[in-house]
Amino acid sequence: MPLFTRKEENENSRIGLYASADSRESIPKYKIPEQAQDMRTVYHLVHDELMLDGNSRMNLATFCQTWLDEYVHKLMDECLDKNMIDKDEYPQTAEIENRCVHILADLFNSPKSASTLGCSTTGSSEAAMLGGLALKWKWRQRREKEGKPAGKPNLICGAVQVCWHKFARYFDVELREVGMEHGRYNLTPEKVLELVDENTIGVVPTFGVTFTLMYEPVLEIAEALDKLEKEKGLDIPIHVDAASGGFISPFVSPDLVWDFRIPRVKSINVSGHKFGLSPLGVGWVIWREKEDLPEDLIFRVNYLGGDMPTFALNFSRPGGQIVAQYYNLLRHGKEGYRKLQQACLDHGAYIAEKVEKLGHFDILYNGKGGGVPGACWTLKPGDHGFTLYDLSDKIRSRGWQIASYPLTGAAADITVQRVLIRHGFSRDMADLLVNDYTRCVRYFEEHPVREPLTQQEAGGFHH
Ligand SMILES: *Cc1c(COP(=O)(O)O)cnc(C)c1O
């Protein structure tokens, strides 16, 4: 039975949207409706519901792109129906993916950038899993060749993003995570040497640590491992988690050596949808040379037509993000990326300077020595009458989302507050933010919170 008679349907398109029957009654929320509904009305109901989400441009907790130019929107629309895995049907999308791989291999100074391997992923998480798997396979091949047991692999890292905890658990690798200490937030060569043994499949420095935005010292760690190899014969590869830094450092600090210029760095992951400036849903993993990716991790599928190599955890996936990444690489070039990222770094330093002047905060990071654009700070010791969680909570009432969270390891008693600055942010927005932040601090100075919120009560931000 049709939901509406012809007369009613005509009536529906004639009367105002919010006077229609679908608008006047509650829509089903946890069951699919029995009947079809008018698409305009349903569109507006869904659209309106999304008003309850935060404003993504004011979300200073995320590393991901929230501003995309009109041509990215156009290309995404044009690619909406293209499955990137159908490489035979959409050979030009496949070609574009391939170009991006070699552009990035070249940007990361691979000695064989024209012939090396890599692929797009859904983000750095999938890219990290693939990089980690290649390390595990290589290690196991080495061990089996030497006739040694290969049952207890371990991976050494600093305070990593959750994807490495997932990798370790999903793929049965012991994670030797070096927690932070007061005054030492990064993985150090000394800590690596303490933990390394013959079962270490690799070391993963993070180039742009989630907690602090800092770069871990890849070169120093590599040099310590060079020395270890000379002394003990252990040859330990490095995978760099450059989710953010991979699209920042090559442009704003090209002389900083962290990439394939270091022979020990065998693979790198980077998020296209973070500082790669592309829409959500794209990351990349690149190997130094094709020999660094074990052949038997590559599957060949023939049921799409042609013989297509694939190395991924996913199968079907939209092609638009890849195309948009290519557009961004061409459109911005080195100059564009450099200027955009530098502007964001400058805004971050500017905000840190203003926040410091408020008198309550110690600046932990302002991006001036290199790192991800943004800033983070802690409360100075002593009673301020408010916590960082209170501030995050209060400034949310103006729409800004600013993360507060504890550090890790022995530094877990330190709470930090962090702002990320991305493409689409201006000095004007920085001033608006600083004004709102100042107002919140002044409010708490006049109305101290007697019983500060615990992290749980404040809701916490998870990134
Ligand atoms: C964001 C991030 C990840 C996860 O990347 P996605 O692209 O969100 O999957 C991994 N590592 C680091 C250092 C990150 O910043």
Side-chain angles (χ1 to χ4, degrees):
M1 202 185 75
L3 180 59
F4 300 112
T5 63
R6 178 168 295 271
K7 181 163 176 292
E8 280 168 337
E9 274 177 23
N10 288 343
E11 187 70 0
N12 236 4
S13 53
R14 190 175 60 79
I15 58 166
L17 214 52
Y18 293 93
S20 71
D22 287 342
S23 292
R24 282 183 288 124
E25 286 163 23
S26 291
I27 46 170
K29 304 219 167 34
Y30 302 107
K31 279 185 193 225
I32 186 166
E34 291 300 326
Q35 276 132 358
Q37 324 253 343
D38 176 66
M39 62 185 172
R40 280 174 321 147
T41 315
V42 174
Y43 166 77
H44 282 283
L45 293 179
V46 175
H47 172 88
D48 292 353
E49 184 154 355
L50 290 173
M51 288 192 301
L52 271 66
D53 278 340
N55 180 335
S56 65
R57 300 274 301 281
M58 297 172 83
N59 176 2
L60 305 183
T62 185
F63 289 70
C64 292
Q65 265 316 300
T66 46
W67 188 87
L68 299 140
D69 75 38
E70 63 178 299
Y71 293 101
V72 171
H73 283 266
K74 262 169 143 28
L75 287 169
M76 288 295 284
D77 207 29
E78 288 165 24
C79 294
L80 197 60
D81 52 351
K82 289 193 194 178
N83 188 346
M84 59 71 70
I85 203 75
D86 294 343
K87 294 181 199 267
D88 216 49
E89 283 84 344
Y90 310 117
Q92 218 49 35
T93 298
E95 164 62 17
I96 284 173
E97 179 186 21
N98 197 39
R99 284 182 204 164
C100 289
V101 165
H102 296 296
I103 289 172
L104 292 177
D106 179 60
L107 191 66
F108 299 158
N109 296 294
S110 157
K112 303 264 178 69
S113 66
S115 65
T116 193
L117 295 172
C119 58
S120 72
T121 59
T122 49
S124 271
S125 300
E126 188 189 4
M129 309 274 162
L130 300 181
L133 278 171
L135 291 179
K136 187 177 172 186
W137 248 249
K138 278 275 170 191
W139 167 80
R140 195 160 54 198
Q141 286 173 347
R142 261 194 327 271
R143 297 286 288 174
E144 281 168 357
K145 220 161 88 194
E146 295 165 0
K148 291 180 179 157
K152 285 189 173 329
N154 70 69
L155 183 80
I156 300 172
C157 59
V160 276
Q161 209 265 357
V162 66
C163 69
W164 292 101
H165 294 262
K166 290 185 183 174
F167 167 74
R169 197 170 307 166
Y170 297 168
F171 297 105
D172 219 1
V173 172
E174 179 201 344
L175 199 66
R176 298 191 173 169
E177 187 178 11
V178 177
M180 297 175 174
E181 289 164 16
H182 283 221
R184 182 198 52 74
Y185 306 110
N186 283 335
L187 183 62
T188 60
E190 295 73 30
K191 291 281 171 191
V192 169
L193 292 181
E194 277 172 34
L195 293 173
V196 74
D197 62 27
E198 59 179 10
N199 290 318
T200 301
I201 65 171
V203 177
V204 176
T206 302
F207 201 60
V209 174
T210 317
F211 299 89
T212 60
L213 309 181
M214 297 169 184
Y215 292 152
E216 288 188 323
V218 186
L219 183 61
E220 285 79 353
I221 291 167
E223 284 169 351
L225 291 171
D226 288 346
K227 199 155 160 274
L228 176 81
E229 184 175 3
K230 261 203 205 110
E231 288 167 3
K232 300 213 176 120
L234 284 181
D235 182 8
I236 311 289
I238 292 178
H239 170 98
V240 182
D241 181 352
S244 298
F247 269 115
I248 300 165
S249 182
F251 306 114
V252 302
S253 51
D255 296 334
L256 180 61
V257 176
W258 63 277
D259 54 12
F260 295 128
R261 282 169 286 183
I262 304 170
R264 200 169 285 282
V265 173
K266 302 298 183 192
S267 48
I268 294 172
N269 69 268
V270 65
S271 292
H273 56 213
K274 290 185 177 173
F275 292 85
L277 312 181
S278 298
L280 278 167
V282 65
W284 302 91
V285 57
I286 312 287
W287 281 271
R288 174 185 181 77
E289 300 176 29
K290 65 177 191 305
E291 290 75 22
D292 294 311
L293 174 60
E295 258 297 308
D296 56 347
L297 284 176
I298 303 171
F299 287 81
R300 296 185 187 274
V301 295
N302 54 17
Y303 37 79
L304 298 173
D307 174 39
M308 291 300 155
T310 148
F311 180 35
L313 300 181
N314 294 92
F315 195 65
S316 294
R317 184 151 60 80
Q321 286 84 343
I322 294 163
V323 173
Q325 179 76 78
Y326 184 59
Y327 162 81
N328 275 322
L329 290 168
L330 291 186
R331 182 255 177 277
H332 295 295
K334 287 186 180 172
E335 180 201 9
Y337 272 98
R338 186 181 74 247
K339 288 185 171 163
L340 285 172
Q341 316 297 37
Q342 189 58 54
C344 290
L345 280 162
D346 294 345
H347 297 321
Y350 175 78
I351 291 167
E353 191 189 309
K354 297 285 180 186
V355 166
E356 188 169 28
K357 287 207 176 110
L358 294 173
H360 294 275
F361 310 96
D362 284 328
I363 304 298
L364 193 66
Y365 171 87
N366 64 9
K368 281 189 176 166
V372 181
C376 55
W377 53 83
T378 59
L379 266 180
K380 283 184 193 295
D383 186 13
H384 298 261
F386 61 89
T387 66
L388 292 174
Y389 298 111
D390 294 327
L391 264 175
S392 284
D393 220 36
K394 181 94 187 135
I395 202 162
R396 180 105 193 227
S397 66
R398 286 286 289 173
W400 301 106
Q401 299 184 56
I402 300 181
S404 296
Y405 50 88
L407 295 179
T408 73
D413 57 333
I414 301 177
T415 302
V416 302
Q417 193 160 63
R418 182 195 68 195
V419 295
L420 259 304
I421 306 298
R422 304 177 301 273
H423 189 198
F425 202 84
S426 60
R427 189 52 59 102
D428 238 35
M429 284 171 74
D431 282 327
L432 294 173
L433 170 71
V434 167
N435 284 345
D436 283 340
Y437 196 81
T438 305
R439 206 173 305 125
C440 291
V441 170
R442 298 291 175 243
Y443 175 87
F444 284 125
E445 284 171 348
E446 283 165 32
H447 311 277
V449 184
R450 303 271 170 228
E451 290 174 289
L453 296 178
T454 66
Q455 185 191 353
Q456 234 163 8
E457 285 164 344
F461 290 81
H462 305 281
H463 276 275

